[in-house]
Structures are given as C-alpha cells and as structure tokens.
Amino acid sequence: MRLTQTAAAAAIVSRRLSATAKRHTKLTHIDDAGNAHMVDVSDKAPTQRSATARGRVLMNRDTLDLVRQDKIKKGSVLAVAQIAGIQGAKSCSQMIPLCHPLNLTKVSVSLWLTDDLPSEDDSLCCAVEIESVVRCKGETGVEMEALSAVSVAALTVFDMCKAVSKTMRIDNVRVVEKLGGKSGHWKAS
C-alpha cells in the first residue's frame, strides 16, 4: 500500500513539473518532460563569478549579550559560525542535489552584532548579521554557495545559542549582489 501511494505521489509531482516546464521555459533544471536534471555547462566559457549573500539571526538582548561577551557554553559563537559558513559554501554541491561542484577561489564570511532593531514586542530586537562573499572562475555562478555559507553560519549561531533562547529566528537570507556570467552584474535595490 505504501509503495503505491509513493508511486502515485511521484506521478503527481512529475505531471506538475512537466506542466511547470511547459509554462516556464527558463527553468533550466527541468527538461521538456518535466524531469529534474543537472544543467550541462560544458559549452560555457569560464568567467570570473562572484556572489554576495546576507542574512541574520534575530534574538533577544540577553542572548546577544552572552554572544558579545563570549559566554555561550559551546564556545565563541562568531568564530565557530564563521568557519561553519565557509565549510557550508565548500559543501554546497553535496547539500543541494543539482548544484555543480565548483573550484571556489574565495569564501569569506563576516558576522557582526546589531542592537535595537525594530521589534513589535522587544523580544527579537537584536541580531547576529551575516554576510558571505564567494568567488570562482567557472562556467556557472556561485549564488548557491553564498546562500549556503550564510545559511550554515545562521544555523550554527542558532545551534550554539538554543540552550539560552528558544525564540531566535533566522531571517532575510538572500543574494544581494552577483557578478559574472551571461547576466552580468546584478545588485539588489
């Protein structure tokens, strides 16, 4: 019974992907039949690529003060999250199934503390802000690697601080700039 339900669900997903592929011809990871596939980039010339992503972990003031004073029991939150973010960029193709493994030439992850953010109830009025910059010379962009760096750094902050705060929230993870490739330079407004 379970196998039949799984097969039926897979057929529904396949039909939906096929319909999506027909409506949105720009979805490069879906073929004409609606099947997911890794894009062939072998005919593309390598160019310099760069992407910048940002995000943050919202938290209360008490938690931020513990991070600032390096009093979180698991260790230095900002140092560990920085290394975790770099590792996240390097591991992107292992986490995201259709991402190409890339020879990254630069990964930087910066973290800083922000006080007094607008908050409805003052419970999430502070944040650990995160920014990553990823570069390579290759046939495809590094946006996913930059997003992975920020996401893994944010998850690490959350993991290290969860014993003192259950109300933290990972927020606003996004690409803010990309350079290179066919589409050239793009910057969020």
Side-chain angles (χ1 to χ4, degrees), residues 61-188:
R61 185 169 311 284
D62 292 339
T63 304
L64 185 82
D65 288 342
L66 291 172
V67 171
R68 179 179 282 127
Q69 298 164 17
D70 267 341
K71 290 190 176 177
I72 296 292
K73 289 187 180 182
K74 286 189 172 186
S76 175
V77 173
L78 301 182
V80 174
Q82 181 182 38
I83 298 300
I86 292 168
Q87 189 64 39
K90 292 168 54 177
S91 302
C92 183
S93 68
Q94 295 169 355
M95 297 184 292
I96 311 295
L98 301 178
C99 282
H100 293 84
L102 300 175
N103 186 20
L104 303 179
T105 58
K106 176 186 173 77
V107 178
S108 68
V109 177
S110 302
L111 297 98
W112 64 94
L113 307 178
T114 302
D115 292 292
D116 301 321
L117 294 170
S119 175
E120 291 178 17
D121 61 0
D122 202 41
S123 65
L124 297 176
C125 62
C126 301
V128 173
E129 304 279 353
I130 307 162
E131 179 179 271
S132 70
V133 177
V134 179
R135 292 190 182 121
C136 82
K137 183 174 184 177
E139 297 82 6
T140 188
V142 290
E143 297 91 342
M144 295 306 297
E145 288 73 12
L147 288 166
S148 293
V150 168
S151 297
V152 171
L155 287 166
T156 302
V157 170
F158 193 99
D159 175 58
M160 292 186 74
C161 298
K162 70 182 186 273
V164 296
S165 176
K166 307 289 187 229
T167 62
M168 293 176 294
R169 184 172 66 228
I170 296 172
D171 186 53
N172 210 15
V173 175
R174 75 251 184 235
V175 173
V176 296
E177 186 172 18
K178 84 163 245 10
L179 295 158
K182 186 169 60 172
S183 60
H185 184 209
W186 174 86
K187 192 168 187 174

Side-chain angles (χ1 to χ4, degrees), residues 1-6:
M1 176 83 172
R2 187 82 164 130
L3 185 57
T4 306
Q5 289 174 336
T6 302

